[in-house]
Amino acid sequence: MTEPPGVIAAQRPPFKVRLRDWLELCRAPNAFTAVADPLAGALVCGAGWRDTGRIIIVMLASAFFYAGGIVLNDWHDYKRDLRERPHRPLPSGRIARFRALLAGSGLLILGQVLASALETATGGVGLLLVAAILLYDVLLKEIPIAPAIMGLCRALNLVLGMTVATGEGSSAPAAYLAVVMGLYVLGITVFARHEAGLARKDQLLLGAAFTAAAMAMLASVVPLFRERGPSPLGLIWLGLLAAALGYRMARAILRPAPARIQAGVKLGVLGIILLDATLVGFFRGLGLSLLVAVLLVPAVWLGKWLYST
């Protein structure tokens, strides 16, 4: 009996591992969406230039948390990927599975070391984030609440940045914004649950509904918290995201082909940067929001060369 190509490739020892293989394993283009979260969190809570060093450290910690979580995700999904995604670095044999386990664990540890080097609160949020990542990757991915755990990871990532601001703050409703982020990512995760195969329309509709609810909640920030002074200019970023993502998701729902679903998922993940830019635009102005939105440039550029879903 002939073995599937992915199985044969996985049995070959990886004699040469390229930097490109590791960047693909870590989903390097999407790492910019991860660092956008703590940057936005710090800015909406009043961080200024004096906090630059602390923000950079927490952004690096976030990148390590994200990369470690993604690597462990692929380590855990190895057998499934042999069937569904044999081109990925682990099932194709380009990176050995034990190396991925060591690398993923080391990245999470490094992220926690950086987070703990700042505030006690930052270290505590980092520990919660590591716990949520491991719960999702290793234990609870197959159960119905798994997308909510992924949303929790992103909400905690936003809060990670909020803990490093030393300014007086901007009176941003931090808990509300964290819920918005978690709900948005929950929706993208539900939408992506079967991106490599045939997804049901009701599942895609549910994912799109969660995402739309998150964007509606974010648009409601201006009237709900008007006494705190949110600027309506943040709606520029939110409008761009809603238009582009709505179009992609609608196409996938009308004809749930894997390529269309993956295109919607990719845009949804990159759209986290615009969501973060919206937060900053509301509470710190359009100028500072550009510091977040500009992260789309390297994310999109790298995404042309590296697989990112």
Side-chain angles (χ1 to χ4, degrees):
M1 180 177 177
T2 303
E3 292 284 358
V7 175
I8 295 173
Q11 291 172 345
R12 290 197 298 262
F15 293 108
K16 183 178 180 180
V17 178
R18 301 173 302 164
L19 175 61
R20 181 189 179 97
D21 297 330
W22 283 104
L23 291 176
E24 185 177 322
L25 179 62
C26 294
R27 313 287 200 281
N30 295 345
F32 291 96
T33 73
V35 301
D37 294 341
L39 174 59
L43 290 175
V44 299
C45 285
W49 289 110
R50 64 184 176 279
D51 299 306
T52 299
R54 297 155 58 81
I55 294 173
I56 290 173
I57 291 174
V58 82
M59 288 171 71
L60 285 173
S62 176
F64 291 138
F65 284 141
Y66 178 82
I70 287 294
V71 171
L72 291 180
N73 174 79
D74 281 17
W75 172 82
H76 181 267
D77 287 354
Y78 175 75
K79 292 183 179 178
R80 174 186 291 179
D81 286 345
L82 284 173
R83 301 188 307 270
E84 298 181 358
R85 303 175 181 90
H87 58 280
R88 281 184 170 177
L90 297 189
S92 67
R94 287 178 283 146
I95 296 176
R97 196 175 176 218
F98 80 94
R99 290 182 180 177
L101 177 60
L102 292 176
S105 303
L107 286 165
L108 290 183
I109 292 171
L110 187 54
Q112 183 57 39
V113 168
L114 288 175
S116 298
L118 295 170
E119 302 291 332
T120 301
T122 311
V125 173
L127 283 175
L128 290 175
L129 182 51
V130 169
I133 289 170
L134 293 176
L135 279 175
Y136 179 84
D137 282 346
V138 179
L139 296 176
L140 305 179
K141 183 183 294 186
E142 305 303 324
I143 68 174
I145 67 167
I149 298 172
M150 178 61 77
L152 175 63
C153 289
R154 282 292 188 159
L156 288 170
N157 200 35
L158 182 69
V159 173
L160 193 69
M162 293 176 174
T163 63
V164 304
T166 60
E168 296 181 356
S170 61
S171 298
Y176 186 89
L177 299 183
V179 170
V180 167
M181 177 61 73
L183 186 60
Y184 176 88
V185 173
L186 184 157
I188 297 300
T189 308
V190 170
F191 197 87
R193 287 287 268 182
H194 300 287
E195 63 173 291
L198 294 176
R200 301 194 318 267
K201 284 191 177 184
D202 58 345
Q203 173 198 308
L204 297 176
L205 282 167
L206 181 61
F210 280 130
T211 305
M215 289 190 281
M217 283 183 65
L218 190 51
S220 301
V221 160
V222 176
L224 284 177
F225 300 97
R226 57 183 179 273
E227 73 281 359
R228 304 189 186 192
S231 167
L233 290 177
L235 291 170
I236 293 174
W237 301 120
L238 188 60
L240 290 173
L241 174 60
L245 187 57
Y247 171 73
R248 288 287 190 186
M249 285 185 160
R251 290 183 77 240
I253 291 168
L254 291 172
R255 186 161 68 86
R260 290 190 172 197
I261 297 171
Q262 289 167 7
V265 172
K266 182 175 181 179
L267 183 58
V269 173
L270 291 177
I272 292 171
I273 296 175
L274 288 181
L275 199 74
D276 283 323
T278 303
L279 307 185
V280 179
F282 279 146
F283 293 99
R284 297 299 300 276
L286 199 59
L288 276 179
S289 72
L290 289 171
L291 291 177
V292 180
V294 75
L295 292 172
L296 266 177
V297 176
V300 171
W301 182 81
L302 270 180
K304 294 179 181 292
W305 308 103
L306 295 171
Y307 180 84
S308 60
T309 64

